[in-house]
Structures are given as C-alpha cells and as structure tokens.
Amino acid sequence: DIQMTQSPASLSASLGETVSIECLASEGISNSLAWYQQKPGKSPQLLIYGASSLQDGVPSRFSGSGSGTQYSLKISGMQPEDEGVYYCQQGYKYPTFGSGTKLEIK
Amino acid sequence: EVQLVESGGGLVQPGSSLKLSCVASGFTFSSYNMHWIRQAPKKGLEWIALIYYDSSNKYYADSVKGRFTISRDNSKNTLYLEMNSLRSEDTAMYYCAKSAYRGYADYFDYWGQGVMVTVSS
C-alpha cells in the first residue's frame, strides 16, 4: 500500500492568513492526489483532484500543487468556514488517505 | 442533485453480521464505480471496498478482505456492504461514495451522510 504522511497534525491560523498543509507519498503517485475538507459531524467534501484541479464550486482561495511524492494544499486568506479537518488521498493505486490536519481559527 | 443515503447500521455483537445499503439518486448510478469508506471514532478515513459500475470487478482493503462483500443492484440504484464476522475494530461511521475517476486516478466526489456501526458486547 502507498502510505501518505500528512503534516502538520494541527494548525491554527488568523483570519486572512495563508496556510499550507503538506502530504508526502511513500512512492511516486504521478499527481494522483486529492484533498478533502471534513467539518464536524459531516462527510468529507472534495476540494482538489489531480493535485491542482479545483473541484466545481470550491472557492478559488484553495489551491493545490506538487509532483512526484510531495504535495501541498494552500488556503490563501483563511475564512471562518475553512475550519475543519483536511485529508489528502492518493488515487494512483488502491486509495489511501493521510492522517488529517485539524485547522482552527487562532 | 446527487444524493447518497446510507442505512442499516446499528449496535451488534462481535462475530455477528450486518448489511448496509446506500440508495443513490441524481446521477446515472449504473455508469459509475462506487466505494465504501469508513472512519473509526475520532480517527481518519479508511477506504475499504470498490465495485465497478457493472459489478465486473470488486476490490477490498486487506482489513476486510474475506469478511466483507460489496455488491450493487443497478435496477434499484442501490449499493450494499455485507459485513460478516464483525470485530470491535470495525466500529466506525461507514460512508458510501461515488467514484470520480479522472486521469487514471480515482477520487470521491460525492459522499453519503454516513451510517454508524458499533461492534460491542
């Protein structure tokens, strides 16, 4: 299985601040990487797929980048509604997820 | 509007069986692969099973292989997960999810609200 190592485990940011979350794959995944946001008591929502493509309806302050084994999610200008847990997921082989990053407002 | 509605969860004893259902609407169910994903309490996400749109192929995570069976009935727009020999470590919220296969990679673009399965004596 491909292991996904996500960091940091938790993060607090001020409103308007730019934040980044990292994901490292145990082997190359050819940009087959998605990011999801999960709010308390809700199911995850797809934000980014193919490492950098924005899912329909997702605000443009979310962006993804990376290649090979290293990927990142950036939120440009933290908003209150961005609080939640963020997961990366590789779709290159049988799907596996990162351990999650809890993002809170400072 | 795409909707996925799971049902069939509950409290069961170790070693017992349970069958989950997921009714889909708002898209052509018979054209899409479908998945089951679970999340143990306060834990992360774990993919557990995939079924192709025509049931021609099924894949499982090692943690459930041989105990869980994924199936579907395209005439009823319904996805199933039959779970046997349940263990305490199977306690989780179970989500069905629609496949978003893009560029030779599989993602999950719609999720159900989840159904809780608790395995405890």
Side-chain angles (χ1 to χ4, degrees):
Chain A
D1 290 1
I2 297 177
Q3 307 302 317
M4 304 301 291
T5 302
Q6 194 173 332
S7 62
S10 63
L11 184 57
S12 62
S14 303
L15 291 178
E17 184 177 346
T18 294
V19 301
S20 288
I21 299 169
E22 309 293 322
C23 201
L24 177 67
S26 59
E27 61 184 83
I29 57 171
S30 297
N31 289 357
S32 301
L33 193 284
W35 291 96
Y36 300 84
Q37 176 194 61
Q38 186 177 33
K39 296 185 179 181
K42 301 292 187 182
S43 52
Q45 289 195 319
L46 178 63
L47 301 174
I48 301 281
Y49 63 91
S52 60
S53 295
L54 200 64
Q55 174 70 352
D56 290 346
V58 175
S60 59
R61 64 179 178 275
F62 291 91
S63 63
S65 64
S67 63
T69 61
Q70 295 185 295
Y71 299 88
S72 62
L73 173 72
K74 185 167 75 172
I75 307 173
S76 300
M78 177 77 179
Q79 299 298 306
E81 60 268 30
D82 298 337
E83 278 195 319
V85 180
Y86 291 80
Y87 294 95
C88 61
Q89 174 244 324
Q90 64 80 18
Y92 188 67
K93 294 182 179 177
Y94 292 142
T96 49
F97 292 88
S99 54
T101 295
K102 186 175 184 179
L103 176 59
E104 297 177 318
I105 298 255
K106 191 183 293 182
Chain B
E1 178 194 6
V2 172
Q3 286 198 338
L4 298 169
V5 180
E6 301 97 335
S7 62
L11 172 63
V12 296
Q13 292 192 333
S16 61
S17 300
L18 203 60
K19 188 171 184 177
L20 306 182
S21 299
C22 169
V23 177
S25 61
F27 66 103
T28 305
F29 180 72
S30 59
S31 296
Y32 289 90
N33 298 348
M34 295 293 294
H35 299 263
W36 285 100
I37 296 157
R38 69 183 180 183
Q39 186 171 34
K42 305 290 187 185
K43 299 294 185 183
L45 300 163
E46 178 189 18
W47 169 83
I48 57 172
L50 157 66
I51 186 168
Y52 276 23
Y53 66 99
D54 59 356
S55 301
S56 60
N57 286 288
K58 303 175 185 181
Y59 301 96
Y60 300 92
D62 288 344
S63 58
V64 305
K65 199 175 296 182
R67 299 188 300 123
F68 290 12
T69 302
I70 189 172
S71 61
R72 64 192 295 162
D73 185 338
N74 285 345
S75 69
K76 296 181 178 179
N77 284 356
T78 303
L79 176 72
Y80 302 101
L81 184 69
E82 187 159 10
M83 304 183 293
N84 297 320
S85 303
L86 283 161
R87 307 165 180 167
S88 57
E89 54 264 37
D90 295 319
T91 294
M93 183 72 77
Y94 284 74
Y95 297 99
C96 65
K98 174 182 167 289
S99 173
Y101 196 78
R102 295 171 185 165
Y104 303 103
D106 206 1
Y107 311 111
F108 317 106
D109 59 355
Y110 290 95
W111 300 59
Q113 84 286 354
V115 61
M116 190 66 200
V117 173
T118 303
V119 184
S120 175
S121 54

